[in-house]
Amino acid sequence: MQTRILSTVLLAFSTAAFAEGAFTLQFDNPSKDGGFTQNQLLSAPYGFGCSGGNASPALSWKNPPAGTKSFVLTVYDKDAPTGLGWMHWVVADIPADARRLPAGITAQGGRLPKGALQTRTDFGTPGYGGACPPEGRKHRYEFTLTALKVAKLPNITAESTPALVGFFTKANSLGEAKFTVEHRR
């Protein structure tokens, strides 16, 4: 197993955000090599061949763009053998005053900031689904936090698809903070 953080990409479209410092997102308490811990990998019941704890990682951020009213977090595997990638986690309506997500957020939303909502992923249900690439392959997991100009995305529920959340997220974006974790098993 090999993991590491590939890069931090900063995209903030507000002059005020740059004046205060760049909008950044970080992986709190990663493994020794900067990536996923065993506890954050997909668990065996999903049937993909991994035996992790399927626990969401702790994340934190700073310097969101001026005018931010909420955030959306996504974790996306662009290398999944689907032709479309794989959405591992979607959290919408994170309050503007939040600056972190704790580790171990449950599928039912336990430990989420008040008002935040997990929506469906490509596993078919809301909640975090850990990394589990095919053996011998390295995948890139892109963590993106988008600052929004609205306090709540319209028409989004726990059953909303990642594509629908993505549409309303892009339509209301003020800026993004990203990093990528590589993982091989």
Side-chain angles (χ1 to χ4, degrees), residues 14-22 63:
S14 166
T15 305
F18 282 116
E20 297 171 7
N63 302 321

Side-chain angles (χ1 to χ4, degrees), residues 76-87:
Y76 174 70
D77 174 4
K78 58 177 72 183
D79 300 312
T82 64
L84 301 170
W86 192 272
M87 192 62 73

